[in-house]
Amino acid sequence: MNRNLGSEIDQLKLEMNKLQKLVGSYLGEASKKAFVMDDLTPDKEQNEGNIYYSGQYRNGHIKYKWDAKEQPIRGLLNLDGEKMAKILSALGNKQRLDILRSVIKGPVAGTELVEKLNMGTTGQLYHHIKALMGADLLVQEERGGSYSLPSHRVLPVLLLLAASSELADTTTYMDMADAREHPDLYLGAAGQAYDPHLLIWALLENTILEHQVGSCTEVHIFFHNERSLTVADNGRGIPITVLSNRERPHLQTVMTDIGQASLSAPYYAAGGEKGISVAIVNALSYQLAVEIRREGTIYRQDYKQGIPQSGIIKVGVTEESGTSITLEPDPDLFLTGFDIEALQKRAIEIQGAYPNLAIHILR
């Protein structure tokens, strides 16, 4: 009896697709159930419930342990807004936070704090220490001894740090929103129609950097239409892995962290005060998709006005390496579209400076 291997493989694929759909459906329902809230009726308060928290902290011979506590949601939502803003503003000073983070590990002398925090003078340190002691956030041992955090303040400070960690990405996205509000800082020509080609020149600047380190020999610019382009190189591909001191993957940091100028090569437009990094390109694009070919895998992540619309997804396998970015400039900022002649002119200029870097424009 002869077996039809092709037919069997097709049937196997069909069964695997069914299984995958079933598993996906199950996980989707489970995910929904995990986050489903009871329907609210007019008889129910919308701010009912409590927040529960407890914990312990050990550092050498110091150990703190707190019994479980609870705070009613209604009370938290009804706190005096002005007072809360003052608290957050007072603790939002970097040097005060550095002091609190240092003394929470154990008593520290004033001279140690000055040296450790690079404050330069003791006067600068004591200005903040006086405020923290007045707020009962710092105590000092007798006779001018070391500083430490009162035990009853340790848990609230740790919870504040934990909450700040959970909200860390909001500052990144606020920076991106600010870039959209002030595009002239990057694009120049304030009050005029901005040139969308500047975004492409910024992407090409990074392919040139890859070429200079010997990792990129070819770039393809795919002209989809006047509002959409793809710049694809055969460089190393942006790393995917999580940075040692960050929770976000390296790729997402490159694409969203405007403050990390060293993560990409900025392009400086005429009249622009700041360089256009890859993160700025992302912030000023209505839609952007980045595809990474690296270490045998193809990864993809989608953005809208700089905000991730998905996680980093594995979409295939490959023997190639490189980065492809497809973007659509924000029509609210860029009134005109791409011009293929301008792209060709720029390609000739780059190839004149870097003859071993081939640039292909395809439509």
Side-chain angles (χ1 to χ4, degrees):
M1 177 179 174
N2 294 326
R3 299 176 59 184
N4 188 335
L5 295 180
S7 177
E8 290 182 20
I9 291 174
D10 289 340
Q11 183 62 32
L12 181 60
K13 287 181 178 179
L14 182 62
E15 295 299 325
M16 287 298 294
N17 286 336
K18 289 181 180 179
L19 180 60
Q20 188 175 17
K21 288 180 180 179
L22 285 172
V23 172
S25 175
Y26 172 77
L27 292 176
E29 289 301 318
S31 176
K32 289 178 183 177
K33 289 178 181 177
F35 293 95
V36 163
M37 298 178 67
D38 291 336
D39 291 336
L40 294 174
T41 66
D43 296 331
K44 288 186 177 180
E45 287 285 346
Q46 294 189 17
N47 54 5
E48 286 183 350
N50 298 307
I51 292 290
Y52 298 89
Y53 53 93
S54 63
Q56 60 180 334
Y57 170 67
R58 181 194 296 271
N59 183 49
H61 64 283
I62 300 175
K63 180 180 179 181
Y64 299 101
K65 185 175 182 179
W66 303 273
D67 295 330
K69 296 184 178 182
E70 64 178 292
Q71 290 271 15
I73 298 295
R74 184 183 305 177
L76 295 177
L77 297 181
N78 291 328
L79 288 172
D80 185 291
E82 185 174 349
K83 185 175 181 179
M84 294 301 296
K86 286 182 179 179
I87 294 171
L88 295 175
S89 178
L91 293 176
N93 181 284
K94 180 183 181 301
Q95 291 181 324
R96 290 178 186 175
L97 281 174
D98 287 342
I99 293 171
L100 292 176
R101 289 190 295 176
S102 296
V103 301
I104 205 171
K105 300 173 184 177
V108 183
T111 52
E112 293 179 74
L113 285 171
V114 171
E115 182 178 351
K116 185 176 182 179
L117 303 180
N118 298 314
M119 287 193 166
T121 64
T122 55
Q124 186 180 9
L125 171 69
Y126 293 137
H127 167 74
H128 294 299
I129 281 182
K130 184 177 180 180
L132 292 172
M133 292 183 68
D136 191 31
L137 283 169
L138 209 61
V139 292
Q140 186 179 24
E141 296 175 355
E142 294 183 0
R143 300 178 182 177
S146 298
Y147 297 95
S148 59
L149 198 65
S151 59
H152 67 285
R153 297 296 193 186
V154 175
L155 178 60
V157 171
L158 288 175
L159 289 174
L160 179 64
L161 294 176
S164 298
S165 176
E166 289 289 329
L167 296 171
D169 60 347
T170 60
T171 58
T172 296
Y173 301 142
M174 281 191 274
D175 287 343
M176 301 193 83
D178 189 59
R180 294 174 55 77
E181 290 293 321
H182 304 283
D184 54 290
L185 294 177
Y186 306 92
L187 305 174
Q192 302 177 22
Y194 297 113
D195 182 2
H197 298 94
L198 295 175
L199 304 182
I200 306 304
W201 305 162
L203 296 181
L204 289 175
E205 196 71 23
N206 282 273
T207 65
I208 291 172
L209 181 63
E210 281 288 281
H211 175 69
Q212 289 177 321
V213 298
S215 299
C216 175
T217 60
E218 199 169 29
V219 181
H220 288 83
I221 301 176
F222 297 93
F223 187 93
H224 306 303
N225 54 58
E226 291 184 351
R227 303 299 306 180
S228 178
L229 281 181
T230 296
V231 177
D233 66 43
N234 65 343
R236 294 166 293 182
I238 301 172
I240 302 295
T241 54
V242 175
L243 296 175
S244 60
N245 61 337
R246 294 175 177 268
E247 294 183 357
R248 289 179 297 158
H250 188 113
L251 172 62
Q252 189 166 322
T253 301
V254 170
M255 299 304 300
T256 61
D257 199 332
I258 292 174
Q260 294 289 323
S262 61
L263 294 176
S264 68
Y267 174 81
Y268 288 88
E273 298 179 19
K274 301 180 180 181
I276 306 172
S277 64
V278 171
I280 291 295
V281 172
N282 192 13
L284 302 183
S285 296
Y286 177 67
Q287 293 185 114
L288 183 145
V290 57
E291 183 181 281
I292 304 300
R293 301 176 300 283
R294 187 181 176 94
E295 298 171 352
T297 304
I298 303 173
Y299 304 88
R300 178 187 172 100
Q301 189 171 32
D302 295 309
Y303 294 84
K304 185 172 183 179
Q305 295 181 335
I307 307 301
Q309 302 299 297
S310 67
I312 299 174
I313 304 169
K314 293 182 180 180
V315 295
V317 296
T318 182
E319 296 181 357
E320 301 176 351
S321 66
T323 300
S324 298
I325 294 180
T326 301
L327 63 89
E328 177 186 340
D330 195 313
D332 291 337
L333 300 174
F334 302 95
L335 304 181
T336 60
F338 295 116
D339 177 22
I340 197 166
E341 292 184 2
L343 297 171
Q344 291 170 339
K345 180 181 178 181
R346 182 64 176 163
I348 293 172
E349 292 173 352
I350 293 175
Q351 287 190 300
Y354 305 95
N356 294 322
L357 177 61
I359 301 180
H360 310 282
I361 301 176
L362 306 173
R363 61 185 309 174

